[in-house]
Amino acid sequence: MIKLGVVGTGGMANSHAKAFSAIPGVKLVACCDIDAARARSFGEKWNIPGVHTDYRRMFAVEKLDAVTNVTIDAAHAPVSTAAIKRGLDVLCEKPLGVTLAEARRMRDLAVRKKVVHMVNFSYRRSSGLQAAAKYVRDGGIGRVLHVESSYLQSWLSQPAWGDWRTKAAFTWRLSTKHGSGGVLGDVGCHILDMTAFLCGDIRSIFCDLKTFDKGVRGNRLGEYVLDANDSCVMTVEFANGAIGTVHTTRWATGQMNSLRTRVWGDQGAVEVDLDRSYDEYRVVRGKKAMLAAEWKTVACKPAPTMYQRFVRAVKSRRNDPSDFVNGAKVQAYLHCGFESARRGRPVKVVF
Ligand SMILES: NC(=O)c1ccc[n+]([C@@H]2O[C@H](COP(=O)([O-])OP(=O)(O)OC[C@H]3O[C@@H](n4cnc5c(N)ncnc54)[C@H](O)[C@@H]3O)[C@@H](O)[C@H]2O)c1
């Protein structure tokens, strides 16, 4: 039985609790949030006996094997570091840290301590993405030349997920002082991970970031200064020589949460569009299809979730590919994005 503790009991923690509760051999034994009422109601909802407001105390008094860290981005490093120092296996929410230096320290510590370490790049669970990545890697579309990737959300322009002016899960995401990297840090990390998973490492990034006026007096909501970027456009070059665009925004009215990548090679093309399905990809390949520009849909068998993969890693003591080493890599892409936007020129990626 894996005894699991949950740190951070906001919105996303419910997805973690639901998923882990359904996996045989896992028991949720403790949870923690700095907001005591939130921690208490979470504990009641998910039938978790140990309820805490200080993760250090929770790690000291509870008998845990593993921790899932679902705190705000700024708390990922302190919480995961404290857990690893106690020898606990960690599933950490994305992005791994707030800065590249922090992410590298987390990676190095996790590797040194030989715990199981994983970052929840949740879209990696898409079997369509996994199969398309293998197809590209195996040379299915020939030499990769050109890539187009986007992650589109709309919660600043359409209130389908609630009002960003009042919902706590949105306000910290708008403020750099509260550790947010804006749309680039929040979901740009997902689309950069998906793109690199499909096409290989990125070696240089040219990035433009924009923080649009939101029509709020003084550009602040109480303690939250609304200074985090909300639109991001990048051009990237891959280690294999291909080039591409990656963009993401919170202003894409009409899109809820849309991730799509298209990759063109000299012998074909693939597309992964998670709005269509998590369990398929599309491909153009072969003389006839290329003459007619005909896309074929390839159906794939659903793959394990990231939570199932974490449990598998804990049991087998073998890290999942979405480990802290990959998490620090994605953090390097974020770092280069910020640096490039600041300097106004492309920046080479150093992992
Ligand atoms: N993988 C995904 O697809 C995905 C989706 C949504 C959110 N996330 C990530 O999950 C994390 C949480 O996001 P959310 O939407 O649930 O936000 P949220 O604001 O709803 O929840 C965050 C919770 O963390 C708590 N917290 C902050 N500091 C803490 C600390 N030091 N100790 C204990 N608790 C602390 C807050 O009080 C809050 O309850 C973020 O890192 C976000 O990037 C990932």
Side-chain angles (χ1 to χ4, degrees), residues 94 122-123 149-153 161 183 186-192 194 232 246-250 252 255-260:
K94 48 57 38 180
S122 36
Y123 301 105
S149 261
S150 57
Y151 190 155
L152 306 175
Q153 292 190 330
W161 291 347
V183 73
D186 189 22
V187 301
C189 62
H190 276 301
I191 195 65
L192 285 162
M194 174 162 151
C232 163
V246 180
H247 72 105
T248 180
T249 183
R250 294 167 166 169
Q255 308 295 136
M256 294 293 285
N257 191 57
S258 302
L259 293 92
R260 185 178 76 160

Side-chain angles (χ1 to χ4, degrees), residues 7-14 16 32-35 38 53-55 69-76 78-79 93-95 120-123 151 168-170 172-173 185-186 189-190 307:
V7 188
T9 62
M12 186 60 183
N14 286 284
H16 286 234
C32 169
D33 201 293
I34 47 174
D35 183 320
R38 209 174 287 164
T53 52
D54 179 345
Y55 63 86
N69 180 358
V70 209
T71 55
I72 59 169
D73 300 358
H76 290 180
V79 172
E93 264 305 343
K94 48 57 38 180
N120 194 23
F121 285 119
S122 36
Y123 301 105
Y151 190 155
F170 289 140
W172 67 261
R173 281 178 163 85
D186 189 22
C189 62
H190 276 301
Y307 311 100

Side-chain angles (χ1 to χ4, degrees), residues 172-201:
W172 67 261
R173 281 178 163 85
L174 294 166
S175 161
T176 58
K177 200 180 109 204
H178 294 81
S180 174
V183 73
L184 172 56
D186 189 22
V187 301
C189 62
H190 276 301
I191 195 65
L192 285 162
D193 181 59
M194 174 162 151
T195 305
F197 185 49
L198 268 169
C199 308
D201 289 349

